Amino acid sequence: MRFHAEHGNDHWTTFCENAMTIPLPCYHCALPVPPGSRFTAVVLGEPRELCCPGCQAVAEAIVAGGLESYYLHRSEASANPDTLPVQLTDELALYDRPDVQQSFVRHAGELAEATLLMEGISCAACGWLIEKQLRSLPAVAEARLNLSNHRLHVRWADAQLPLSTLLAELRQIGYVAHPYQADQASEQLAAQNRLALRQLGVAGLLWFQAMMATMATWPEFNIDLSPEMHTILRWVALFLTTPIVFYSCAPFFKGAMRDLRTRHLTMDVSVSLAIGSAYVAGIWTSITGAGELYFDAVGMFALFLLAGRYLERRAQERTAAATAQLVNLLPASCLRLADDGQSERILLSELRNGDRVLVHPGAVLPADGRILDGQSSIDESLLTGEYLPQPRQVGDAVTAGTLNVEGALTVEVLALGQDTRLSAIVRLLDRAQAEKPRLAEIADRAAQWFLLFSLTAAAAIGLLWWQLDASRAFWIVLAMLVATCPCALSLATPTALTAATGTLHKLGLLLTRGHVLEGLNQIDTVIFDKTGTLTEGRLALRAIRPLAALDSDHCLGLAAALENRSEHPIARAFGRAPLAAEQVHSSPGLGLEGLVGAQRLRIGQPGFVCELSGTAVPMMPDEPGQWLLLGDATGPLAWLVLDDRLRADAPALLAACKARGWRTLLLSGDSSPMVASVAAELGIDEARGGLRPDDKLAVLQQLHQQGHKVLMLGDGVNDVPVLAAADISVAMGSATDLAKTSADAVLLSNRLDALIHAFKLANRTRRVIIENLVWAGLYNGLMLPFAALGWITPVWAAVGMSISSLTVVLNALRLTRQPKPHVLDATPDTRPLPA
C-alpha cells in the first residue's frame, strides 16, 4: 500500500498487472515498464525505456533543459522507508531553480505564490488534510484547495521553505503535486476520467458474472448442485471478484491507508473496511465451504460506490466549466509585426511586452494591450458577461482572451501570461471557490465526527449481535459501515457553492471570497458610491445655452475644436470637431484658450473666460450639472452643461434593495448638487456628498456599531477603505485595481442587474444547502438504527448511500440554471441637444 500511495493509481495498476514477471525498470522513476510499452527518450546519448507518457515528458524536459547530469548523480533510494527515495528528492529539488519556477511561481514581497495541481483527491476530507498539513508549516501563510478542480493555491516564505520541501511534505501524506498548467491539467483530468470509467466498467462487468456464480450456489436456485460444482462456483466467484477489489477499488484502499498513516478519518476508511471484510469472509467460505459467499455484495457495493463517485466527478467538472473556459481562451499563436510592417506568425510563448501584434476580425486577442491602429468592436462576453460587443478605437485598452469582431487592429502588448487581466480573474475565481464559508466548515466537522461515531457504533453493535445471533453479526456490521458513509454530508455545501459561483460568473459577477453567497442573506444596509457606480462615470454634454448671435451648432463646433486638443476627461464629452484649433494651452483648474481661425476663444470657469473680454460674468442657469462658459474677445458666447448619466439598470437595483427592506445610503466625494439629484431620482434613503475616504469609513463604522450588516458598492481608490471594511463589498469592473483586490466580488460586466440576480441566487443557494444538509443528516441518522436492527442488507445500504450522494449533487446542479438576462436599451442617445 505504501508503494501505491506514493506513486499513484497508474503505477499501482502497472505493478499489479506485472506482478508475476520481472519487467525492465523505468529509467526515470525505476517502476516496472509494462510489456509492449512504446515510451522512450534519449538520455545521456542512449535510448531509455520509460513506463508512461508522464515519465517520458519529464525526462525529455530535463534533457531539453540541459540537466542530464541529474541522471548521473542520483542514487537508487534512501535506506529509510519513512523518507522519500533520493532520486525523487533530487527531482523535486529541480523545482527550487529560479528558471524553473519562473513560469508558475509569483513573488509578492517576502512571500511566493503558486498554484499546484493535486493527484489523489478522493473527498472533502482530503482537502482538509492537505490544508491542515501545509498550514502546520511555519513558513506557509496560506493553503487553499479547490475541490472542484483539485487546484491547490499556496503562499509561503520561500526563503525559509524551499518549494521542493513543500512538495515532499505532500508526498509524505500520500499526495502528488505538480505545477498547474492548463494543457497538462486538462490532459491529466481526462486521463483520470478514463481510469475511473475503466474501473467502473470492470466492476460492472465482473460483478454481473460473480453474481451469477454466487446465486447458482443458493439452494433456492439449484438444490441438486453437486459438491464438486459447488466448490468450482465458489472459486469462480472469488476469481471474478478479485480484480474488482484490487483494481476497481484501489482508490478506496489507497485513501484508507493514507488516512490511517496520518491518523485522520474519511469515508475511505469505512468503505475499505466494508469491502475488505466482505472479501475476506468470501475467501474463508471458498476455502472451507462453510458459510455464505459475500462476493455478490462486494461487487454491487463497489459498483454503486464507483458509479456515484464518477457521476460526482462529472458534476463537479460541469460546475467548474466557467473557469475551464477562461483558462482555454488564449490562442496558441499570433501575428507579430516587425519594424518593416511585415507580419510573422509566432507561438504565444514567444511574444514579449512591447511587441506589436496584428489581430484580424474573428481572432482572439493574445495579450493585454493598447490599440495603436484601427477601430473595431470587441466581444468580451466570456470575461464580463456583457453580450453586446463593445466599440474600441486607438488608445483604448484591450484584454487577452476577448474576440475582435469587426476591423483589423494593431495592438501594443502590455501584459502577458500571469500578469494579464484574464489570469487575475482566474486566480480570483479559484480563490473564491477554494474558500469555505461557515456552513461548509460545520458540515466537514460534522462528517468527521459522524464517521467516528458510526465506526464506534458498528463495533459495539457487532459485539452485541455476536452474542445474540452470530450468523447475522457480520452482515449487520457490514450494512452499518456501508449505510453510514457521510458522502452526502461532505458534498452538501461545496457542490452548491461551486455551482452558484459558476452561474454568477457567467452573469458577469466574479466572486473573490467564499463568504459572499452566505453573507448576502444577512445584509440589511447598502452603501453606494455615485460616480462610476450608479452613474456611468463619464461626462456627457446635455445642453447648450447660446448667449450671443451664434447658434448652438456653431458654439458646439468652437468648443469641440478647443477640447479636442486636451487630454482632460471633460474633452471626451464634445466629440469630434469640424474645425481645428491652434495655439491651445491649458490653465489647470480654469480652462482652455486657443485660436480657431482668427478668433481667440476660451472655455472653462466663468471668471477665466470673461477675463478675455473684460466683461461681467453672466448669470449661471439654475439647473444641476457642471456648467462651462464659452467666450471670445467680444464676450460670452454660450453656456454648456455637462453631467454624468445614470446607469440604465440603477433604478431596478434600488427597487430590488427596497423590496428586501434594506436601508440605502449614497456616500460620494462629489460636492455638487448632483449627489442630492441622483439620490432623489433613485429614491435613496440618505445621501451625503463631499466625503473623504475616512469620512465614508466613519459612517460604515457607525453602522457596524448599530449592529447593521453592510454591503458596499464602489469603484474608486477613495472607496478602498470602505470596501475592505464592509461585511460584503462589490467593486465595479471598471474600478481601479486596488478597489478590485480589496472587494469580495467584482462586477466584471458593469451591469448592476447582475447584482439583482446575485441577491436571488444567494437565497436559492442557502435554501439548496439547507435542503442538502437536512437530507444528508436525515439519511445518515435514519439508516444507522435501521442497519443496526438488521432491517437493511449491505446491498440496499450501498444503493441508498449512492442515491443519497447523487441526490445532493443533482440538487446543487439546479443552481447552474441561468436566469434570462434582462435586456437593456444599449442604443446611444441621439436626440438633439436642446437649445
Side-chain angles (χ1 to χ4, degrees):
M1 282 299 173
R2 181 170 183 80
F3 180 94
H4 182 196
E6 290 179 348
H7 298 286
N9 290 338
D10 290 338
H11 290 318
W12 174 248
T13 304
T14 302
F15 178 78
C16 290
E17 291 174 348
N18 297 280
M20 301 305 294
T21 64
I22 306 177
L24 186 70
C26 172
Y27 186 75
H28 178 72
C29 69
L31 295 177
V33 175
S37 173
R38 301 185 302 275
F39 303 111
T40 61
V42 177
V43 182
L44 299 175
E46 296 183 21
R48 309 290 184 175
E49 293 289 334
L50 301 163
C51 64
C52 66
C55 286
Q56 183 186 41
V58 173
E60 289 175 347
I62 290 175
V63 173
L67 305 173
E68 280 184 293
S69 57
Y70 156 72
Y71 290 105
L72 290 174
H73 301 296
R74 67 179 183 178
S75 58
E76 285 303 316
S78 170
N80 185 357
D82 293 328
T83 61
L84 297 176
V86 175
Q87 64 184 35
L88 183 56
T89 304
D90 291 343
E91 182 178 328
L92 293 179
L94 293 175
Y95 288 115
D96 294 333
R97 293 172 50 120
D99 55 335
V100 175
Q101 291 187 7
Q102 186 177 1
S103 62
F104 69 96
V105 177
R106 298 173 295 279
H107 292 272
E110 297 180 355
L111 295 180
E113 183 178 354
T115 301
L116 305 174
L117 186 67
M118 300 299 301
E119 290 183 20
I121 306 295
S122 60
C123 66
C126 294
W128 178 90
L129 176 61
I130 290 170
E131 292 175 355
K132 178 177 180 294
Q133 180 73 12
L134 292 185
R135 289 170 183 169
S136 66
L137 302 176
V140 175
E142 183 181 13
R144 290 180 284 102
L145 179 69
N146 187 338
L147 283 172
S148 65
N149 55 27
H150 295 183
R151 293 182 209 158
L152 174 68
H153 179 76
V154 188
R155 291 172 61 241
W156 79 104
D158 57 345
Q160 304 174 32
L161 181 71
L163 180 57
S164 59
T165 305
L166 191 148
L167 298 176
E169 286 287 338
L170 293 171
R171 292 263 184 169
Q172 291 287 6
I173 59 173
Y175 299 94
V176 180
H178 308 286
Y180 171 72
Q181 295 178 353
D183 293 338
Q184 293 183 8
S186 59
E187 254 180 53
Q188 183 176 339
L189 192 60
Q192 290 175 350
N193 284 339
R194 288 194 297 270
L195 175 62
L197 195 57
R198 284 199 303 270
Q199 290 171 333
L200 176 61
V202 167
L205 180 63
L206 295 183
W207 164 70
F208 187 71
Q209 307 299 325
M211 182 182 64
M212 289 194 296
T214 303
M215 290 175 63
T217 65
W218 297 354
E220 293 87 348
F221 285 89
N222 193 340
I223 57 176
D224 297 326
L225 190 67
S226 66
E228 293 80 8
M229 183 57 66
H230 198 286
T231 302
I232 291 173
L233 288 175
R234 289 200 304 268
W235 284 99
V236 167
L238 171 61
F239 175 78
L240 292 170
T241 306
T242 299
I244 298 177
V245 174
F246 287 99
Y247 176 70
S248 297
C249 297
F252 303 129
F253 292 110
K254 173 189 172 184
M257 291 298 293
R258 180 187 60 236
D259 297 336
L260 294 176
R261 196 164 55 244
T262 56
R263 299 179 182 179
H264 174 67
L265 287 178
T266 71
M267 58 169 286
D268 285 333
V269 175
S270 57
V271 168
S272 299
L273 282 173
I275 292 175
S277 300
Y279 180 67
V280 170
I283 293 176
W284 173 258
T285 300
S286 298
I287 295 174
T288 63
E292 298 289 339
L293 287 175
Y294 301 115
F295 296 132
D296 54 340
V298 170
M300 178 173 282
F301 184 33
L303 179 64
F304 282 125
L305 272 175
L306 291 168
R309 282 201 173 182
Y310 180 76
L311 292 176
E312 288 162 15
R313 173 193 289 271
R314 302 297 294 180
Q316 287 173 347
E317 288 173 13
R318 179 181 169 188
T319 58
T323 309
Q325 275 185 313
L326 289 177
V327 169
N328 296 316
L329 280 181
L330 295 181
S333 63
C334 61
L335 290 173
R336 181 172 61 188
L337 292 176
D339 293 337
D340 60 0
Q342 296 297 315
S343 62
E344 173 191 12
R345 183 160 292 279
I346 62 170
L347 292 174
L348 191 61
S349 58
E350 300 177 69
L351 200 59
R352 297 293 179 265
N353 284 337
D355 286 350
R356 294 179 304 141
V357 294
L358 178 63
V359 185
H360 289 297
V364 174
L365 287 150
D368 288 1
R370 180 170 53 89
I371 298 176
L372 299 178
D373 184 40
Q375 60 181 17
S376 181
S377 296
I378 304 296
D379 182 357
E380 301 177 344
S381 57
L382 281 177
L383 288 181
T384 67
E386 176 60 58
Y387 56 92
L388 291 175
Q390 302 300 304
R392 295 290 183 266
Q393 56 190 358
V394 173
D396 288 345
V398 288
T399 304
T402 55
L403 180 68
N404 182 19
V405 177
E406 294 176 331
L409 297 175
T410 300
V411 177
E412 179 186 6
V413 176
L414 300 179
L416 288 163
Q418 297 295 328
D419 299 325
T420 61
R421 183 188 176 204
L422 176 64
S423 295
I425 290 173
V426 171
R427 288 195 297 270
L428 290 173
L429 188 58
D430 285 342
R431 182 179 72 180
Q433 292 177 348
E435 285 188 353
K436 294 180 181 178
R438 183 175 52 86
L439 277 176
E441 293 175 351
I442 293 173
D444 286 348
R445 287 198 297 270
Q448 293 176 37
W449 282 107
F450 181 80
L451 184 56
L452 179 61
F453 172 76
S454 62
L455 291 175
T456 305
I461 296 297
L463 290 174
L464 179 62
W465 273 99
W466 186 263
Q467 302 295 326
L468 299 176
D469 187 352
S471 63
R472 298 187 63 191
F474 178 79
W475 279 105
I476 288 173
V477 170
L478 184 61
M480 290 182 67
L481 290 173
V482 173
T484 57
C485 285
C487 308
L489 199 58
S490 297
L491 288 169
T493 303
T495 50
L497 291 175
T498 304
T501 300
T503 300
L504 284 178
H505 180 254
K506 292 176 183 176
L507 293 172
L509 181 65
L510 174 66
L511 303 189
T512 67
R513 294 286 192 275
H515 71 282
V516 174
L517 283 168
E518 183 180 4
L520 280 175
N521 295 291
Q522 303 167 1
I523 293 298
D524 58 21
T525 304
V526 186
I527 296 177
F528 296 98
D529 178 44
K530 180 180 74 71
T531 307
T533 303
L534 294 177
T535 66
E536 294 179 351
R538 59 178 184 269
L539 293 172
L541 184 62
R542 288 286 173 251
I544 300 175
R545 301 282 190 268
L547 299 174
L550 299 180
D551 61 18
S552 298
D553 290 340
H554 196 172
C555 291
L556 176 59
L558 295 173
L562 290 176
E563 294 289 353
N564 279 185
R565 301 294 300 274
S566 172
E567 296 296 329
H568 196 280
I570 286 179
R572 300 173 188 169
F574 290 86
R576 295 187 177 182
L579 306 172
E582 299 176 350
Q583 302 178 18
V584 176
H585 65 272
S586 172
S587 298
L590 298 175
L592 300 173
E593 180 180 343
L595 285 174
V596 178
Q599 188 178 9
R600 180 167 295 277
L601 296 165
R602 283 187 180 183
I603 186 172
Q605 294 291 335
F608 169 72
V609 173
C610 289
E611 282 180 3
L612 183 62
S613 61
T615 57
V617 176
M619 182 175 293
M620 183 182 297
D622 186 19
E623 297 178 25
Q626 183 168 349
W627 289 89
L628 303 177
L629 186 62
L630 174 69
D632 61 6
T634 64
L637 298 177
W639 284 106
L640 302 97
V641 62
L642 307 172
D643 66 11
D644 193 358
R645 182 190 305 176
L646 275 178
R647 293 187 184 274
D649 43 9
L653 175 59
L654 267 297
C657 294
K658 293 289 185 183
R660 286 163 174 76
W662 294 349
R663 179 186 177 190
T664 54
L665 291 87
L666 177 60
L667 305 182
S668 176
D670 185 0
S671 58
S672 72
M674 279 293 295
V675 176
S677 174
V678 167
E681 184 173 350
L682 294 176
I684 294 176
D685 297 329
E686 182 179 348
R688 303 185 192 180
L691 299 181
R692 299 189 307 271
D694 53 341
D695 297 329
K696 292 185 178 182
L697 185 58
V699 174
L700 175 64
Q701 291 170 342
Q702 184 179 4
L703 291 170
H704 278 161
Q705 290 171 1
Q706 296 170 359
H708 293 290
K709 297 292 184 181
V710 182
L711 167 67
M712 170 65 188
L713 182 63
D715 76 322
V717 174
N718 61 328
D719 298 321
V720 168
V722 190
L723 288 170
D727 297 281
I728 294 179
S729 54
V730 179
M732 303 298 290
S734 56
T736 62
D737 290 341
L738 186 58
K740 286 190 280 193
T741 54
S742 302
D744 301 319
V746 180
L747 201 59
L748 295 174
S749 63
N750 284 322
R751 298 179 66 89
L752 298 177
D753 58 349
L755 279 177
I756 302 174
H757 296 312
F759 298 156
K760 297 176 181 177
L761 190 62
N763 288 329
R764 289 176 55 207
T765 302
R766 183 177 180 81
R767 187 165 61 248
V768 166
I769 289 175
I770 292 174
E771 289 170 357
N772 283 352
L773 290 175
V774 169
W775 164 255
L778 284 175
Y779 167 78
N780 286 117
L782 291 175
M783 290 294 276
L784 184 62
F786 288 168
L789 292 171
W791 295 351
I792 299 174
T793 65
V795 171
W796 285 110
V799 173
M801 188 274 300
S802 299
I803 292 176
S804 175
S805 297
L806 290 178
T807 300
V808 164
V809 173
L810 294 175
N811 190 38
L813 286 180
R814 293 192 298 122
L815 296 172
T816 62
R817 292 202 298 265
Q818 285 184 252
K820 185 173 292 187
H822 179 59
V823 179
L824 299 170
D825 185 10
T827 307
D829 188 357
T830 57
R831 291 174 297 176
L833 293 167

